[in-house]
Amino acid sequence: MSRIVVITSGKGGVGKTTTAASLASGLARAGFKVAVVDFDVGLRNLDLVMGCERRVVFDFVNVINGDARLNQALIKDKRLGNLSILPASQTRDKEALTEEGVEQVINDLRDQFDYIICDSPAGIERGSHLAAYHADDAIVVTNPEVSSVRDSDRVLGLLASRTRRAERGDAPVQEYLLLTRYDPQRVKRGDMLSVEDVQEILAVSLLGVIPESDVVLNASNAGVPVVLEENTDAGQAYDDAVARYLGDERPHRFLQTERKGLLGRMFGGS
Amino acid sequence: MGIVDFFRARRNRRDSASVAKERLQIIVSHERAEQGGPDYLPMLRQELLEVVRRYVTVDPDAVRVDVERDDSHEVLELNITLPEQQEEV
Ligand SMILES: Nc1ncnc2c1ncn2[C@@H]1O[C@H](COP(=O)(O)OP(=O)(O)OP(=O)(O)O)[C@@H](O)[C@H]1O
Ligand SMILES: [Mg+2]
């Protein structure tokens, strides 16, 4: 049985696509057959983050409209043989993804893959609804910041009421919190919500904390999912999150600042 | 920066995250109560507020409307917080 995982957030720009690329690559590296699907119609970006933008020929909407077969549109990852990418369409027509079309594609993907990762667009409208509808698991990507936390809470409510599982009365979607762009130094100074604060408010199980890191931008510049940058903080934090998703218990890292003495704190700049 | 300022600044800055947390807890519990309930709840709340305000001056968040559910029925719970001194309008 394959599992459908939606990466969602409500608020835009919090790190969904970064996370989708890294989760997909991490699961593929662990030996699973993985497809990662870009649901952001009109704002295709997963291809860039995965480094396959020049190999896009057909897209999600082409498949739905019958202009291409699914296997013509799927792009095989160059680094990991068991990973494929289904790019979003760049059409400006937001209605291009239909409910029936999405369902058909998801069902066809189930035949070939262990995990289907759905990269949701921002917002709580049609696009994000379609991305979340078939989910078994949801990773809610949140930044430690008021509007992101509030939007995540809204999204959690929708996952509990508007998904296929909810409508059928099946077991609820398994929800996980992934806190990204975390800056322990600012938390320590008291001007950023701490991981404990966010967990207390959202009350969902914590998959991981990804530190704010230049590495993420560099990796996306290069078209390499950051989880593959093994000697970096963000790369290792994503690797831990993937392992936890697969059931490993790993301690959370990168939550503390390096300890400085009092003088260091007074003169260390902030 | 002198040592006193240093500690004062630290204390003030500590506040901003706790203010954020407090505000979030309030708004999130508000929105959770309204969500999943019937769509007319926000309007019902607004109209109740207007009615209450004909008699007493209250804050916009003085009226709370929650739906409690158990297996057999739903309970609509109204909470209206009156100000300390109830002035007649
Ligand atoms: N941990 C991090 N540290 C630093 N920068 C990050 C981190 N995570 C994401 N970013 C940056 O934030 C920006 C947005 O990331 P991303 O595209 O993954 O967000 P998104 O949620 O998919 O956005 P959208 O809602 O527009 O789809 C990118 O420039 C990315 O490099
Ligand atoms: Mg995105």
Side-chain angles (χ1 to χ4, degrees):
Chain A
M1 266 304 274
S2 34
R3 275 194 96 73
I4 320 275
V5 190
V6 64
I7 315 296
T8 184
S9 70
K11 189 170 161 69
V14 295
K16 291 180 294 297
T17 300
T18 306
T19 299
S22 278
L23 177 66
S25 303
L27 290 172
R29 192 170 54 180
F32 294 100
K33 285 181 274 174
V34 184
V36 57
V37 183
D38 191 344
F39 275 79
D40 209 340
V41 173
L43 295 169
R44 167 160 85 209
N45 274 325
L46 183 66
D47 56 340
L48 274 174
V49 176
M50 298 285 303
C52 65
E53 69 281 2
R54 307 230 346 239
R55 293 195 288 140
V56 174
V57 182
F58 296 111
D59 61 52
F60 200 168
V61 170
N62 294 144
V63 176
I64 287 181
N65 292 342
D67 300 332
R69 281 178 292 109
L70 178 59
N71 285 324
Q72 292 178 297
L74 283 171
I75 302 170
K76 265 201 181 304
D77 188 77
K78 280 246 164 90
R79 292 164 291 246
L80 297 156
N82 43 349
L83 173 60
S84 296
I85 300 114
L86 182 58
S89 161
Q90 286 292 49
T91 173
R92 283 161 56 197
D93 174 14
K94 295 278 175 196
E95 307 289 309
L97 289 186
T98 60
E99 274 170 42
E100 305 72 43
V102 170
E103 178 160 4
Q104 184 63 52
V105 170
I106 295 271
N107 284 338
D108 291 348
L109 288 169
R110 281 182 207 269
D111 296 338
Q112 305 181 39
F113 297 98
D114 301 313
Y115 288 97
I116 299 153
I117 314 296
C118 303
D119 181 19
S120 174
I124 54 170
E125 260 96 81
R126 186 186 161 76
S128 60
H129 173 71
L130 286 173
Y133 187 73
H134 296 275
D136 300 305
D137 301 323
I139 297 178
V140 178
V141 180
T142 307
N143 292 166
E145 173 264 319
V146 282
S147 48
S148 174
V149 175
R150 179 201 206 169
D151 289 359
S152 291
D153 192 69
R154 290 271 288 159
V155 162
L156 287 165
L158 295 174
L159 288 168
S161 61
R162 303 276 160 86
T163 50
R164 194 183 54 129
R165 280 177 173 270
E167 284 177 6
R168 293 189 177 179
D170 293 346
V173 176
Q174 175 77 49
E175 302 161 339
Y176 300 95
L177 167 67
L178 187 75
L179 195 59
T180 61
R181 312 203 68 159
Y182 194 72
D183 184 343
Q185 216 165 341
R186 298 185 69 187
V187 173
K188 193 165 176 205
R189 268 190 259 133
D191 50 26
M192 180 180 272
L193 289 162
S194 70
V195 52
E196 292 83 9
D197 291 341
V198 178
Q199 255 189 298
E200 194 182 323
I201 292 163
L202 295 179
V204 282
S205 106
L206 180 68
L207 192 62
V209 180
I210 314 296
E212 169 77 27
S213 169
D214 293 343
V215 172
V216 175
L217 183 61
N218 293 338
S220 70
N221 285 345
V224 179
V226 68
V227 73
L228 300 180
E229 303 282 7
E230 290 172 28
N231 297 320
T232 65
D233 54 357
Q236 290 173 3
Y238 269 115
D239 185 55
D240 285 352
V242 174
R244 283 189 207 104
Y245 175 74
L246 289 172
D248 271 16
E249 285 197 21
R250 292 205 184 173
H252 291 277
R253 298 188 269 175
F254 316 110
L255 299 184
Q256 307 298 329
T257 54
E258 283 151 51
R259 281 196 75 76
K260 285 186 192 167
L262 178 64
L263 288 179
R265 273 186 273 150
M266 287 178 74
F267 302 108
S270 52
Chain B
M1 173 158 73
I3 191 126
V4 176
D5 291 336
F6 171 70
F7 284 109
R8 183 175 299 141
R10 273 184 68 82
R11 184 150 30 92
N12 286 345
R13 271 182 286 168
R14 185 161 300 286
D15 281 345
S16 112
S18 24
V19 169
K21 182 181 177 189
E22 228 179 275
R23 289 175 58 220
L24 269 170
Q25 281 171 323
I26 294 168
I27 189 67
V28 158
S29 87
H30 238 82
E31 289 178 342
R32 277 183 198 161
E34 281 179 0
Q35 214 207 336
D39 289 344
Y40 58 72
L41 278 193
M43 241 156 68
L44 175 66
R45 203 183 77 83
Q46 189 54 37
E47 287 182 33
L48 281 169
L49 182 65
E50 280 162 26
V51 173
V52 172
R53 279 182 162 175
R54 280 187 222 147
Y55 302 93
V56 270
T57 313
V58 293
D59 289 338
D61 58 359
V63 176
R64 263 199 83 135
V65 183
D66 294 316
V67 179
E68 297 260 328
R69 255 184 228 98
D70 62 37
D71 294 337
S72 55
H73 55 275
E74 294 188 349
V75 177
L76 185 67
E77 190 181 297
L78 301 181
N79 269 297
I80 304 174
T81 316
L82 296 177
E84 303 267 304
Q85 272 187 320
Q86 295 177 24
E87 293 161 28
E88 307 228 332
V89 183

